[in-house]
Amino acid sequence: SPEQMTKYQKIESLVKGFKLPSATYRQVMMLWREEMKNGLKKRTNPTADIKMFPSFVRSLPDGTEHGKFLALDLGGTNFRVLLVELDGPLVDIESKTYLIPQQVMLGTGEQLFDHVAHCVANFISKHGLEREPTLNLGFTFSFPLMQDGLASARLSKWTKGFRCEGVIGKDVCLLLKQALQKCTHVDINVVAVINDAVGTLMSAAHSDRNCEIGLILGTGCNACYMEKLDEVETIELDDGGPNQVIINTEWGAFGDNGCLDFVRTEYDRELDTYSINPGKQLVEKMIGGMYLGEIVRLTLERLTSEGLIFQGVDPECDLFNRGKFYTKYLSEIESDRGEFFENTKMILEEIGIETYTLEDCKIVKYVCALVSARASFLVSAGIATLINCLKRPEVTVAVDGSLYRFHPRFHNLMSLKIYELVEPAYKFKLALSHDGSGKGAALVAAVTTHMK
Ligand code: ADP
C-alpha cells in the first residue's frame, strides 16, 4: 500500500548512510594508503593520524623456536597471564584470566601495574614457578605504543575504555618491571612488548610462511604487517639485522583529521560525541566491537522516535539507554534464519521491548546487517590497501578478535569485499589466528632471545 511504501522509504532514508557504493570504498582506500604513507615518512609522521609505529620485531618465526616463556596479555576485556612452552611446531599453553576492576581501569597507572604484578605473582605460585632461575616474559600490551626498542615503549594514548592516570608518555615495560620487583622475588626478564596485532601475526606465521599481515577485530580494530626497512623513515636500524620490521599501523585513528567525514552518519557522530574520546579513533568507531551495538541502538532509537518501529514501547526500556545494545546481539540477530526470528525476539525482550511485530524484527535484523556489512567493508578496504602495497603473489592475513570469531557473516563479507578491492594478481587468505597475544608474545620472546 502507499502508506507502507512511505514507511519503508522513510526507513530507507534514515539508514541509507550505511550503504556505500564500491567507488566510495575505493576512495577510502586511496585516503588510507595516503595516510599510511604519511605515517612512515619522517616529515609527515608528526601530523599523520595513522602512526605506523615500528615494532622492532624484525623476523617472523619459522617453527623451530623452543623454550618456556611467560606472557602477559593486557589491553582488552580480559587480562591474562600465560605460560607458553614452545618445542618446534608444538605449543603448550596454560593460562589464567584475571579481572581488571573498573576502578583500576580508570584509576592510576601505579594501581594498574601493581594489580598486574599481583596477578603474575599469583600465577607463578599457582604453577610452582618460584624456583625457575629466570623467566623470560613477552608482554602483549594492546594500546598505541611509541616503541624505543623491543623492550622499551611509551604509551601514546589510552583507548578502549582504559584511562589510567600518569601512564601516557611513560615506558610501560619499566612500569611493569618496577611493579614486578615489588611483588615477586623471581627473576623476570621482560624481553619484549608487542601489541595484540603483532602477536596475532607472529602466532599465525609460526605455521604459515605466507602470513605477513595481522588484524584485530575485537573491542577495537588494528592491523600490522611486515614492511621493508627502506620504507620506514622514522627509525634508524642499520645494525645488520634483517632488512624488515613489523609495522604496527594503529589505523584505528584513521579519519581523525576529518577525511572520513563524508562516510560518517548522524549515528556515528552521536556515538562519538558521547564517547570517552570524542574526535578520536573515528574509523575504529565504525568497525570495532565496542561500538557496533551502540550504532545499531542509536539507529533503532531514531526509527522508534519517528514512529517507524516499536509502537507503544516503554520509554524507560534499555533501547533508550547508552551501551545497552551489545555487539554480540548483532551476531545473534543475524544468525536468525527464516521467518521466526527466535534470537531477535529474545534480545528484544531482554532489552525490555515487549510489544513488537514480526515486521519490527525484520527491520531490526536489517539494521544490524547494514551496520555489520559497513564495518566489514571498511576494514576490507584497509586490508586490500595493505595487500596492494605488499605486492606479494600470495598473502595470508591472520585475524583474531571476538567480532571476527563470532559474527556469522564477517569472514564471508570480508573475503568478498577484499576480493573485489585487491588487484587481481594478488591471492589472499583470511585465517583465524589462535592465542595471538600469548603464543605470539612467547614467539617474539623466543625469536629475540634466540632460543632455538
Ligand atoms: P579484545 O579485543 O578486547 O581483546 P575480544 O576480541 O574478545 O577482546 O573483543 C571484545 C569485543 O568483541 C567486545 O567489544 C564485544 O562487544 C565483542 N563481542 C563479544 N562477543 C561477540 C559476538 N558474539 N559477536 C560479535 N561481537 C562480539
Side-chain angles (χ1 to χ4, degrees):
S1 69
E3 215 171 72
Q4 284 286 312
M5 279 296 288
T6 48
K7 175 180 161 182
Y8 284 117
Q9 280 167 352
K10 277 186 196 156
I11 292 174
E12 221 23 61
S13 76
L14 291 170
V15 302
K16 67 170 190 294
F18 295 125
K19 297 178 169 180
L20 303 171
S22 284
T24 302
Y25 287 108
R26 289 184 193 281
Q27 215 174 330
V28 168
M29 282 175 72
M30 272 160 50
L31 294 164
W32 214 317
R33 184 188 176 128
E34 205 50 47
E35 206 51 20
M36 288 200 282
K37 275 198 177 151
N38 288 341
L40 289 174
K41 301 272 168 270
K42 208 172 198 150
R43 189 177 55 82
T44 45
N45 173 280
T47 53
D49 282 330
I50 306 182
K51 287 299 181 196
M52 306 296 274
F53 295 115
S55 69
F56 287 79
V57 179
R58 308 273 290 279
S59 34
L60 295 170
D62 60 10
T64 63
E65 294 71 21
H66 80 257
K68 194 192 240 181
F69 301 89
L70 275 184
L72 298 188
D73 174 16
L74 175 65
T77 325
N78 294 310
F79 165 60
R80 290 186 310 156
V81 184
L82 307 95
L83 179 66
V84 184
E85 282 199 68
L86 305 171
D87 184 12
L90 303 178
V91 182
D92 184 53
I93 302 179
E94 288 181 73
S95 75
K96 185 163 159 56
T97 297
Y98 297 87
L99 198 77
I100 300 199
Q102 188 78 12
Q103 83 256 22
V104 174
M105 281 171 79
L106 302 174
T108 68
E110 192 171 1
Q111 282 171 324
L112 176 68
F113 284 96
D114 283 349
H115 178 71
V116 164
H118 260 109
C119 298
V120 173
N122 170 281
F123 185 89
I124 284 177
S125 70
K126 269 209 157 65
H127 286 81
L129 298 168
E130 294 97 334
R131 282 157 207 268
E132 297 280 329
T134 342
L135 283 166
N136 286 320
L137 183 147
F139 184 19
T140 303
F141 185 78
S142 304
F143 298 98
L145 290 175
M146 288 171 289
Q147 208 110 17
D148 298 312
L150 199 54
S152 163
R154 288 163 291 145
L155 177 66
S156 127
K157 63 182 166 191
W158 287 116
T159 54
K160 298 183 285 191
F162 275 71
R163 202 173 44 188
C164 300
E165 226 180 280
V167 185
I168 293 173
K170 299 263 173 64
D171 181 352
V172 296
C173 277
L174 197 63
L175 295 177
L176 174 65
K177 281 181 211 165
Q178 288 167 346
L180 283 171
Q181 269 162 13
K182 282 194 273 176
C183 261
T184 167
H185 297 296
V186 181
D187 180 26
I188 299 174
N189 186 15
V190 182
V191 293
V193 57
I194 59 170
N195 74 356
D196 49 357
V198 174
T200 295
L201 170 55
M202 292 297 282
S203 179
H206 189 230
S207 57
D208 181 342
R209 302 191 134 271
N210 288 328
C211 195
E212 297 229 334
I213 298 176
L215 173 66
I216 296 294
L217 284 168
T219 302
C221 172
N222 189 26
C224 71
Y225 69 104
M226 188 59 92
E227 179 62 282
K228 292 190 284 297
L229 269 189
D230 308 341
E231 303 291 328
V232 187
E233 287 184 4
T234 50
I235 42 163
E236 303 289 333
L237 283 174
D238 38 10
D239 53 0
N243 192 29
Q244 56 179 14
V245 65
I246 297 178
I247 296 294
N248 165 27
T249 64
E250 289 297 339
W251 73 15
F254 179 42
D256 291 8
N257 64 6
C259 73
L260 286 182
D261 287 357
F262 75 111
V263 302
R264 293 171 68 228
T265 65
E266 58 182 289
Y267 314 108
D268 299 307
R269 286 174 225 283
E270 177 159 3
L271 177 145
D272 179 52
T273 302
Y274 289 93
S275 68
I276 69 165
N277 53 352
K280 300 274 184 262
Q281 303 293 104
L282 293 187
V283 87
E284 178 164 84
K285 283 174 179 158
M286 294 192 269
I287 299 172
M290 186 167 180
Y291 310 104
L292 298 188
E294 181 65 5
I295 298 174
V296 169
R297 193 194 65 78
L298 288 166
T299 310
L300 296 178
E301 191 176 56
R302 180 74 201 275
L303 296 181
T304 307
S305 73
E306 297 287 332
L308 297 164
I309 51 171
F310 302 142
Q311 306 254 334
V313 67
D314 176 4
E316 302 282 300
C317 80
D318 274 342
L319 179 63
F320 306 106
N321 286 334
R322 290 186 200 283
K324 288 293 184 180
F325 196 99
Y326 307 123
T327 300
K328 68 168 192 214
Y329 292 165
L330 273 67
S331 293
E332 289 161 9
I333 289 168
E334 290 181 64
S335 298
D336 270 338
R337 297 265 163 263
E339 294 295 297
F340 296 110
F341 297 99
E342 293 95 337
N343 295 344
T344 308
K345 287 175 179 168
M346 213 164 63
I347 287 161
L348 290 180
E349 283 161 33
E350 209 169 299
I351 59 175
I353 298 174
E354 321 238 287
T355 54
Y356 51 81
T357 64
L358 207 57
E359 225 181 297
D360 290 339
C361 292
K362 266 185 212 164
I363 294 162
V364 168
K365 186 174 169 189
Y366 177 57
V367 170
C368 290
L370 289 179
V371 169
S372 54
R374 183 190 63 159
S376 66
F377 293 168
L378 276 172
V379 69
S380 297
I383 291 296
T385 305
L386 276 185
I387 294 174
N388 287 344
C389 289
L390 280 179
K391 299 190 190 311
R392 287 177 44 113
E394 282 179 54
V395 58
T396 301
V397 183
V399 196
D400 200 1
S402 293
L403 180 59
Y404 177 82
R405 204 176 272 273
F406 299 122
H407 190 281
R409 305 190 311 140
F410 238 79
H411 172 87
N412 286 348
L413 288 169
M414 282 182 68
S415 299
L416 289 170
K417 201 62 176 182
I418 297 171
Y419 184 76
E420 181 193 327
L421 295 175
V422 288
E423 285 166 33
Y426 309 135
K427 286 207 176 82
F428 72 94
K429 197 166 75 184
L430 301 178
L432 184 62
S433 171
H434 294 278
D435 296 309
S437 30
K439 183 177 146 192
L443 284 167
V444 174
V447 167
T448 57
T449 50
H450 304 290
M451 294 273 223
K452 293 207 170 186

